[in-house]
Amino acid sequence: MSTTDRLRYVYAVTRPFDGVLPEGARGIGGEPPRLLRHGDLVAVTGAVAPEDFDEAPLRARLEDLDWLADTARAHDAVIAALSTVTCPLPLRLATVCRDDSGVRRLVEDGHDRFVRALERLDGRVEWGVKVYAEPAAEEEAEPAAAGTGSSGRDYLRRRLHARRSREGDWERADALCRRLHAELSRHAEAGTVHRPQDARLSGVPGVNVLNAAYLVDRERSEEFVELVEAASEPGVRVELTGPWAPYSFAGIADEEAPAVHEAHEAPAAHEAPAAHEVHEAPAAQEAGR
């Protein structure tokens, strides 16, 4: 299939930049991304097969979790490569145009929004912070049933103790989340809270009680990381990921999209797995975020 017969996958929009993408940068299908300049902006694109990315087959493909994970990883690989040479504005997973003319219309129609977003994100990165409530190991097991060497009263007493311990874990986790989010927000340009991850899908131990992202000036990142690493409570686990390209703060560019004959995106893209989340858990977990 020739390049002219293939659709255009749009990874990101950036300002023009000096130099080239790192050698070996590869996107979907293992192909190197291409830079398409339109006015004072650059669209980062790749050619993709219509049997996967045209509107109808794409909807079916998004139900294939392995395919979705591979696509998200390839998307993120391009964004990561871009981040080494410029500040990219990541577009939604599976933003696809018919051809180069469609890409140019996408950039033209969204020009002012893209420029505002790039100004907001310039020099900043995203850090992810998750807080988990983790009951002590001895409290996770169900108390032995009455009649196995203990009285019914002892059994009920253990049940009550276990319940109170779990409630204490939740209270500590909730209090830490409130303090930590308030403190981190003061040290960030912006913060946003995502829906907690479902442990049944993520496979991560504990109950996710905070799933937040923060937009942080690169020069203040070390200070931000130190604040997160200093946060701890018994029965509570705090995880830090990043730095990422600012996926969670590109929403200004996610307003109404062009007509479908010019561009289409993954259905409910705000709910689709963020590409960088694939590094932390299967893509299925966030189908999502």
Side-chain angles (χ1 to χ4, degrees):
M1 181 184 297
S2 68
T3 301
T4 56
D5 296 329
R6 304 174 79 188
L7 303 176
R8 300 295 184 268
Y9 187 107
V10 190
Y11 297 95
V13 173
T14 77
R15 293 189 179 95
F17 56 90
D18 295 330
V20 296
L21 291 177
E23 186 176 353
R26 294 289 185 271
I28 294 169
E31 294 191 7
R34 185 170 66 94
L35 306 180
L36 191 158
R37 182 162 181 169
H38 184 72
D40 59 347
L41 294 175
V42 173
V44 184
T45 73
V48 293
E51 55 265 32
D52 288 327
F53 285 93
D54 215 344
E55 197 165 6
L58 176 60
R59 291 181 181 276
R61 278 295 200 181
L62 290 172
E63 301 299 320
D64 182 341
L65 300 181
D66 290 336
W67 182 91
L68 184 60
D70 288 343
T71 300
R73 290 189 183 97
H75 183 108
D76 185 53
V78 173
I79 302 301
L82 281 169
S83 296
T84 66
V85 293
T86 188
C87 177
L89 174 65
L91 297 192
R92 295 181 187 179
L93 191 69
T95 296
V96 183
C97 296
R98 298 293 180 191
D99 49 29
D100 285 353
S101 295
V103 177
R104 293 182 184 279
R105 288 192 293 271
L106 176 68
V107 174
E108 183 72 27
D109 291 346
H111 176 272
D112 292 347
R113 292 181 283 113
F114 293 149
V115 168
R116 288 197 302 271
L118 287 166
E119 289 175 349
R120 178 189 181 195
L121 302 178
D122 189 31
R124 297 172 173 87
V125 293
E126 176 176 329
W127 289 94
V129 177
K130 293 184 176 67
V131 177
Y132 297 88
E134 287 192 309
E138 63 271 15
E139 295 169 359
E140 292 179 347
E142 183 73 15
T148 57
S150 63
S151 68
R153 181 176 298 174
D154 290 338
Y155 170 72
L156 293 175
R157 186 181 297 114
R158 288 195 299 271
R159 287 291 300 266
L160 179 60
H161 173 73
R163 187 182 70 182
R164 287 175 176 171
S165 295
R166 286 193 296 270
E167 290 173 351
D169 291 331
W170 277 102
E171 290 172 358
R172 285 192 296 272
D174 181 67
L176 184 144
C177 288
R178 293 176 185 276
R179 293 196 308 270
L180 184 61
H181 182 60
E183 185 173 16
L184 295 180
S185 296
R186 288 195 296 269
H187 287 78
E189 301 292 330
T192 186
V193 177
H194 299 299
R195 184 177 61 190
Q197 293 179 327
D198 187 334
R200 294 171 300 177
L201 297 177
S202 69
V204 178
V207 178
N208 184 208
V209 292
L210 177 67
N211 180 13
Y214 302 90
L215 184 67
V216 181
D217 191 299
R218 284 184 184 276
E219 295 182 355
R220 300 192 68 188
S221 284
E222 184 176 349
E223 178 185 357
F224 183 88
V225 170
E226 290 174 353
L227 287 171
V228 177
E229 291 179 344
S232 64
E233 291 282 349
V236 181
R237 186 175 83 257
V238 180
E239 290 186 354
L240 174 71
T241 61
W244 307 106
Y247 289 93
S248 298
F249 303 95
I252 192 171
D254 286 339
E255 296 167 11
E256 186 175 351
V260 72
H261 69 279
E262 296 181 0
H264 60 267
E265 301 168 312
H270 280 107
E271 298 291 315
H276 63 298
E277 289 287 335
V278 174
H279 293 286
E280 302 171 44
Q285 71 178 30
E286 297 284 357
R289 172 173 162 184

